[in-house]
Amino acid sequence: MDFLTLLVIYLCFVLAAVALLCACSGRKESLLARSVNGASQVLSFVIPTQLQSATRRVLHRLFHTRSCLFVVLHVALQAAVYGEYTWEVFVYCWELQFHLLLLLLPYLLLAGNMGCFILCSRANPGIITKSNHASLVKIYAYDGVLFQKGIVCPTCNMEKPARSKHCSFCSMCVHRFDHHCVWVNNCIGAFNAKYFFLYLFTLTAMAATIAIITAAFLLQVVLLSNMMRGSYIDDQGQERAVEILFLIQHLFLTFPRIVFMLGFVILLTLVLGAYCCFNLYLALTNQTSNEWYKSRRYAWSHQLTLQPHDRGVVYKNTYSKGVWMNLKEIFKPPTVLERKKK
């Protein structure tokens, strides 16, 4: 086995190991984690030490430190999609007399998305400092399950307020911590959650709008060419009616960049749409991603220790105040004064 083959196998294993470890994070010494660690130790005997160290540094830089790499990738992907949309799809659709407002809608969404992106990335998510610690502690009560009173953050050397968490990327505790988003290079907390929600919604709408317009253009091309009623000669020399697979192949050969972009934005729409729905569910139930994950881990661990007659006991979210008030809390985080009035 040559070195190049060994290198490829090693890199594939590293990527798989990262994915597996992310999937089993929070479950200490799980079977999956032990298997990955064991395989890593086996490969360490055949992989050069320098390559192992370089891989660890790269992974640490990407997934454990605050970096602008994903922001640059995010902007580059947007530029590529909008470049293709502008230079080909927009021009073709204009020639086919598509409505101008429909063609300009992706640009309007882009302007709104960039505004939300800047606000989300530059806004203070709710950094807990010694000056605001006393007031932030009073906003949310400890539920005694996910958030215990008296827990001190060893890095910040302060008692953790309820619903807060220490971010290892930014090395600070964040009020009503949701998650650290590498795409905006910032934590998502109490004070920028509204910007992230709007950013995610406009990003999903952008991808969906471009996908719809592009698909409508390709459909118009098919209808105008009357291709569906045509036929073609296959490899065996037999005449066949045009099928969907042949039609897709023909469109890909005729408009390769447009079809590739369409596939990408459709996939992006599905992924972002699912994530947008999940964030809407969290907002309506007054949960954060961190709390949702911790509640599932709590329920999973207690299923193993509870007696059979207590298995029906589940974690109850004490922070939910009803759909309308939960949604309002995203756009207007509560203050100490508001909490005292209740």
Side-chain angles (χ1 to χ4, degrees):
M1 182 181 295
D2 60 357
F3 177 76
L4 183 59
T5 304
L6 193 63
L7 175 62
V8 172
I9 294 175
Y10 174 67
L11 292 177
C12 291
F13 170 77
V14 168
L15 293 176
V18 171
L20 291 174
L21 286 175
C22 289
C24 65
S25 60
R27 301 178 182 182
K28 296 182 179 180
E29 295 301 322
S30 67
L31 177 61
L32 188 57
R34 290 198 299 269
S35 301
V36 172
N37 291 331
S40 301
Q41 294 176 0
V42 172
L43 283 180
S44 65
F45 293 106
V46 294
I47 300 300
T49 306
Q50 294 82 356
L51 181 58
Q52 296 180 45
S53 302
T55 304
R56 292 194 193 97
R57 287 195 298 269
V58 170
L59 292 177
H60 180 78
R61 178 67 178 172
L62 287 176
F63 300 107
H64 295 285
T65 57
R66 197 172 182 181
S67 172
C68 293
L69 178 63
F70 286 96
V71 175
V72 174
L73 179 60
H74 169 271
V75 174
L77 288 174
Q78 276 193 340
V81 170
Y82 271 86
E84 179 60 26
Y85 174 79
T86 302
W87 296 114
E88 290 202 89
V89 177
F90 185 94
V91 175
Y92 288 139
C93 289
W94 179 252
E95 293 176 354
L96 292 173
Q97 298 182 342
F98 277 57
H99 199 287
L100 180 60
L101 183 59
L102 176 64
L103 298 179
L104 293 178
L105 183 57
Y107 299 105
L108 298 177
L109 291 170
L110 176 63
N113 179 257
M114 291 305 297
C116 295
F117 170 78
I118 294 172
L119 289 172
C120 188
S121 61
R122 301 297 297 272
N124 177 2
I127 301 173
I128 301 174
T129 62
K130 293 187 182 297
S131 59
N132 64 11
H133 176 267
S135 59
L136 293 180
V137 165
K138 299 176 183 178
I139 293 180
Y140 293 112
Y142 294 93
D143 63 359
V145 180
L146 302 184
F147 304 102
Q148 307 277 352
K149 186 176 178 59
I151 303 298
V152 177
C153 174
T155 304
C156 301
N157 197 25
M158 292 184 294
E159 181 182 3
K160 291 183 178 180
R163 310 193 76 180
S164 69
K165 187 179 184 298
H166 183 85
C167 176
S168 58
F169 288 84
C170 303
S171 189
M172 60 189 182
C173 285
V174 177
H175 173 55
R176 199 183 183 277
F177 178 86
D178 191 277
H179 71 288
H180 181 92
C181 180
V182 296
W183 298 104
V184 301
N185 197 27
N186 197 8
C187 286
I188 308 303
F191 302 143
N192 67 345
K194 54 182 176 291
Y195 302 132
F196 179 76
F197 186 81
L198 295 174
Y199 159 77
L200 186 61
F201 176 78
T202 53
L203 191 62
T204 306
M206 281 166 48
T209 303
I210 293 178
I212 292 172
I213 295 174
T214 305
F217 158 68
L218 294 176
L219 180 60
Q220 189 80 344
V221 169
V222 172
L223 294 176
L224 290 176
S225 63
N226 210 17
M227 193 181 305
M228 290 300 295
R229 297 181 181 179
S231 60
Y232 69 98
I233 306 300
D234 62 11
D235 297 337
Q236 285 75 32
Q238 297 180 350
E239 185 177 0
R240 292 181 178 275
V242 172
E243 302 168 345
I244 296 298
L245 182 59
F246 175 83
L247 186 62
I248 295 175
Q249 291 175 344
H250 176 76
L251 289 174
F252 185 79
L253 292 174
T254 308
F255 308 103
R257 292 189 298 271
I258 294 179
V259 174
F260 181 80
M261 183 196 72
L262 177 61
F264 175 73
V265 292
I266 287 177
L267 177 62
L268 199 61
T269 302
L270 295 175
V271 174
L272 289 174
Y275 187 54
C276 196
C277 292
F278 174 68
N279 275 267
L280 179 60
Y281 160 75
L282 293 179
L284 295 178
T285 56
N286 204 334
Q287 296 184 81
T288 64
S289 299
N290 177 54
E291 292 165 2
W292 181 87
Y293 172 73
K294 289 178 69 174
S295 65
R296 296 304 181 277
R297 187 175 60 179
Y298 171 83
W300 179 83
S301 62
H302 278 65
Q303 286 295 321
L304 302 179
T305 57
L306 291 176
Q307 298 297 322
H309 60 274
D310 294 328
R311 292 290 171 87
V313 178
V314 294
Y315 165 74
K316 182 179 180 181
N317 178 21
T318 61
Y319 301 112
S320 180
K321 309 180 187 69
V323 172
W324 171 247
M325 293 302 297
N326 292 341
L327 192 60
K328 181 182 176 182
E329 187 169 313
I330 295 293
F331 294 92
K332 187 182 177 183
T335 61
V336 180
L337 294 177
E338 290 175 347
R339 185 172 183 271
K340 287 181 178 179
K341 291 178 183 179
K342 297 176 181 179

